[in-house]
Amino acid sequence: MEIEEEKYRGKITPKKAQKMLSDEGKNVTLEEAKEILQFLQKIAYVQVRKFLNEKDEDT
């Protein structure tokens, strides 16, 4: 488990995401929490790329 936690150093772990969702009344498995985090990372990546591309076009 320590290796898994090291992978998420400075990030939200699947276990923490699972607890956060549970606190909001959304019960998900650890695997579902992991998939949700991966999806959110992809969305964030797309948004950052879009922002940077728009910024390049303005200059």
Side-chain angles (χ1 to χ4, degrees), residues 1-18 30 37:
M1 186 68 173
E2 185 176 317
I3 294 171
E4 185 73 14
E5 293 297 319
E6 185 70 25
K7 179 179 176 183
Y8 292 99
R9 174 180 259 161
K11 299 179 183 177
I12 296 174
T13 64
K15 191 170 188 170
K16 171 121 180 164
Q18 183 184 36
L30 206 52
L37 288 173

Side-chain angles (χ1 to χ4, degrees), residues 17-41:
Q18 183 184 36
K19 181 175 179 347
M20 291 169 67
L21 289 166
S22 176
D23 290 347
E24 295 296 322
K26 309 291 184 206
N27 294 319
V28 298
T29 66
L30 206 52
E31 185 60 34
E32 289 170 332
K34 185 176 179 180
E35 289 178 21
I36 290 167
L37 288 173
Q38 289 172 344
F39 174 74
L40 291 174
Q41 279 184 317

